[in-house]
C-alpha cells in the first residue's frame, strides 16, 4: 500500500520516474525509476558527473523534454500552498506538457533557472520586457504595473541602477548580471519551488558566491524550496539540506547532508567526494579520479551501472535489478553491500 504524502512537509514527491528518448527508431532510457522527496522550504542538491541524468530528470518534472521523449511515473505530486491551503497537482497525469494546465503551473508555482543564461535570454528583446512577460501573462498586470514589479525584483537581486538597466539588452550585461536576470524571470511570479540547473557555470568564484548567497537567501528569508543541480560538491556542502546522488539515470544514494558527507556509503558517492580538491594538498600529490569512463546509456545491461568502475564489485553486482536499501532513517543506498538492510523500492 502506497504511503500518503504529508503535503504540509513535502512540496514535491516523485516516485518511479522514467524518461525514454526515441532516436533513429531506438529507445534509450535515460532516467530510470527515480524517486525522491523535497521537503518544503529546504534545498535538495542533485549531484553526479555530466551525463548522469540530473538535468533530464528535472526537465521531465517540468515537462521540458521535447517531443521525442516519453515521460512516465507512478507519481509526480506537487503540493502548492496558497492562502494557507494545500492544492495537490499530479503532474504525471498531465497528458499535454504544453497545455494550459502545465503552463499555469510554470511561473506562479514552480520555475526553472537554466544552465546557460545566454541561451535563456532573447538577444533582441530588452531584459525588462523578458522578465515582465511572465507577470503579464499569469497575472494580467498592465505593462506599467509589471515594470514597477520588475524594478523591485532587480533591486532585490542586486542589479545596479535598475531604472536604466531595465531597458538594456542582454549583450549589455555581464555573465553574472545575465544570471541574475534569469533568476528574476524565474522569481517574478513568486513561485514556491525553484529548480536551478548549474546556475554558476562559467562564472568566476566571486560571482558564484554571490549567486549562491542569493539562492540561500530565497530559502532562508522567504521559505522557498530549491532543487540545485550541480557537480560541485563544495557548493553542495555550503547549500544543501539533503543530497541526491545520481549515476546513469538512477538515484544511487539519497540522504541528509550529514549522511552523504559524514557517512557516504555508495562506492560512487565515496569516489565523488575523494575527487574534490581540498586545501593543503601536498606538493606533487595528485587529485584522485574515478577510474574508467561513463558507459553509453544505450549499452547498459542488468546489474549495477557502476560495476565496471567499482573497486568493490562482486559477481552478484552484475546481475538482476539492484534495489535501494534504507541503512538509516532517510538514508537510502542502491548497492548490494547493504542487502541485509530493508529494501525501499
Amino acid at each position: 500500500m502506497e504511503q500518503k504524502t504529508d503535503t504540509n512537509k513535502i512540496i514535491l514527491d516523485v516516485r518511479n520516474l522514467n524518461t525514454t528518448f526515441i532516436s533513429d527508431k531506438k529507445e534509450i532510457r535515460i532516467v530510470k525509476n527515480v524517486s525522491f522527496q523535497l521537503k518544503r522550504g529546504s534545498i535538495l542538491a542533485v549531484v553526479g558527473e555530466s551525463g548522469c541524468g540530473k538535468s533530464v530528470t528535472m526537465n521531465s518534472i517540468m515537462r521540458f523534454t521535447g517531443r521525442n521523449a516519453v515521460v512516465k511515473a507512478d507519481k509526480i505530486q506537487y503540493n502548492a500552498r496558497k492562502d494557507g491551503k494545500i492544492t495537490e497537482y499530479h503532474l504525471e497525469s498531465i497528458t499535454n506538457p504544453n497545455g494550459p494546465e502545465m503552463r499555469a503551473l510554470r511561473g506562479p508555482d514552480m520555475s526553472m533557472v537554466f544552465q546557460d543564461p545566454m541561451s535563456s535570454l532573447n538577444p533582441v528583446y530588452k531584459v525588462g520586457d523578458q522578465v515582465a512577460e511572465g507577470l503579464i501573462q499569469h497575472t494580467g498586470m498592465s505593462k506599467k504595473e509589471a515594470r514597477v514589479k520588475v524594478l523591485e525584483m532587480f533591486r532585490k537581486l542586486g542589479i545596479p541602477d535598475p531604472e536604466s538597466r531595465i531597458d538594456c539588452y542582454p549583450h549589455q550585461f555581464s555573465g553574472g548580471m545575465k544570471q541574475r536576470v534569469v533568476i528574476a524571470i524565474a522569481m517574478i511570479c513568486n513561485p514556491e519551488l525553484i529548480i536551478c540547473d548549474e546556475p554558476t557555470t562559467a562564472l568566476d568564484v566571486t560571482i558564484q558566491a554571490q549567486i549562491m548567497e542569493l539562492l540561500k537567501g530565497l530559502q532562508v528569508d522567504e521559505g522557498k524550496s530549491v532543487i540545485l543541480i550541480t557537480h560541485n560538491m563544495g557548493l553542495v556542502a555550503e547549500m544543501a539540506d539533503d543530497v541526491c546522488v545520481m549515476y546513469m539515470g538512477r538515484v544511487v544514494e539519497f540522504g541528509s547532508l550529514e549522511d552523504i558527507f559524514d557517512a557516504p556509503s555508495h562506492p560512487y558517492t565515496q569516489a565523488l567526494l575523494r575527487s574534490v580538491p581540498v586545501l593543503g594538498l601536498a606538493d606533487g600529490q595528485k587529485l584522485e579520479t574515478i577510474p574508467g569512463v561513463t558507459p553509453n546509456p544505450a549499452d547498459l545491461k542488468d546489474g549495477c551501472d557502476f560495476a565496471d568502475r567499482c573497486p568493490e564489485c562482486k559477481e552478484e553486482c552484475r546481475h538482476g535489478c539492484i534495489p535501494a536499501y534504507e541503512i538509516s532513517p532517510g538514508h537510502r543506498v542502491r548497492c548490494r553491500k547493504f542487502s541485509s538492510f530493508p529494501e525501499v523500492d
Side-chain angles (χ1 to χ4, degrees):
M1 187 167 133
E2 185 181 342
Q3 185 178 1
K4 186 169 176 59
T5 305
D6 186 341
T7 56
N8 285 306
K9 294 182 179 179
I10 303 298
I11 189 170
L12 183 65
D13 187 359
V14 179
R15 306 283 178 91
N16 290 322
L17 171 64
N18 290 274
T19 302
T20 301
F21 286 89
I22 301 171
S23 176
D24 296 327
K25 298 183 180 179
K26 292 181 180 179
E27 294 186 1
I28 303 175
R29 193 167 158 224
I30 300 297
V31 177
K32 307 157 191 171
N33 297 324
V34 166
S35 298
F36 67 87
Q37 290 183 325
L38 173 63
K39 297 169 188 170
R40 193 178 297 278
S42 71
I43 295 180
L44 169 66
V46 181
V47 302
E49 294 170 285
S50 296
C52 73
K54 307 184 298 292
S55 296
V56 176
T57 296
M58 298 308 147
N59 283 329
S60 298
I61 292 168
M62 294 290 291
R63 308 305 289 274
F64 285 140
T65 46
R67 295 183 179 180
N68 66 328
V70 178
V71 178
K72 295 182 179 179
D74 291 345
K75 178 194 285 188
I76 308 174
Q77 182 176 332
Y78 173 72
N79 304 307
R81 181 157 60 190
K82 298 176 181 177
D83 301 322
K85 296 180 180 179
I86 301 289
T87 302
E88 297 179 12
Y89 294 93
H90 289 269
L91 309 187
E92 78 282 354
S93 64
I94 296 177
T95 55
N96 183 1
N98 295 312
E101 192 174 1
M102 197 68 217
R103 287 204 309 268
L105 283 172
R106 297 188 196 121
D109 290 283
M110 51 199 304
S111 62
M112 193 160 182
V113 177
F114 293 97
Q115 183 171 354
D116 181 9
M118 290 299 294
S119 61
S120 302
L121 297 173
N122 191 319
V124 300
Y125 287 100
K126 295 176 181 177
V127 293
D129 292 339
Q130 295 185 57
V131 178
E133 183 180 358
L135 204 56
I136 294 169
Q137 178 183 347
H138 291 290
T139 68
M141 277 187 184
S142 66
K143 288 186 178 181
K144 186 176 181 180
E145 292 170 324
R147 185 181 177 88
V148 172
K149 289 290 185 183
V150 172
L151 286 170
E152 289 176 3
M153 181 60 68
F154 277 15
R155 293 187 190 101
K156 180 179 175 180
L157 296 180
I159 295 176
D161 193 15
E163 287 79 8
S164 63
R165 303 309 293 271
I166 194 172
D167 293 316
C168 290
Y169 292 89
H171 73 272
Q172 296 174 282
F173 280 67
S174 66
M177 287 299 111
K178 285 191 187 81
Q179 192 62 280
R180 289 169 194 262
V181 172
V182 172
I183 293 173
I185 291 172
M187 284 299 304
I188 194 65
C189 292
N190 198 28
E192 284 191 277
L193 170 61
I194 309 162
I195 299 174
C196 299
D197 188 355
E198 300 277 9
T200 60
T201 297
L203 301 179
D204 65 55
V205 290
T206 303
I207 303 301
Q208 280 187 28
Q210 292 174 359
I211 297 297
M212 288 298 102
E213 185 178 356
L214 250 173
L215 294 173
K216 191 70 177 178
L218 293 174
Q219 178 220 5
V220 174
D221 300 333
E222 300 185 22
K224 303 298 183 185
S225 305
V226 179
I227 296 177
L228 174 63
I229 304 171
T230 184
H231 62 270
N232 187 330
M233 298 300 283
L235 289 183
V236 174
E238 294 176 10
M239 295 285 294
D241 299 297
D242 296 301
V243 183
C244 175
V245 183
M246 291 189 67
Y247 184 76
M248 295 311 297
R250 296 187 193 276
V251 177
V252 295
E253 188 162 1
F254 185 98
S256 67
L257 182 68
E258 292 75 17
D259 289 334
I260 302 302
F261 277 79
D262 295 343
S265 299
H266 195 283
Y268 178 63
T269 308
Q270 295 168 352
L272 279 179
L273 290 171
R274 285 196 300 268
S275 64
V276 175
V278 293
L279 289 173
L281 200 66
D283 288 344
Q285 183 181 349
K286 292 184 178 180
L287 197 63
E288 285 199 42
T289 58
I290 303 175
V293 295
T294 305
N296 186 329
D299 298 335
L300 292 179
K301 302 175 183 178
D302 284 346
C304 176
D305 299 329
F306 192 59
D308 290 340
R309 307 175 72 187
C310 179
E312 303 177 58
C313 177
K314 297 180 180 179
E315 186 59 30
E316 64 181 358
C317 301
R318 298 183 181 277
H319 303 287
C321 179
I322 312 297
Y325 303 96
E326 188 166 42
I327 62 174
S328 64
H331 188 184
R332 308 192 306 271
V333 186
R334 193 177 298 276
C335 180
R336 292 282 192 202
K337 288 194 303 181
F338 301 97
S339 58
S340 60
F341 290 87
E343 293 184 19
V344 289
D345 277 3

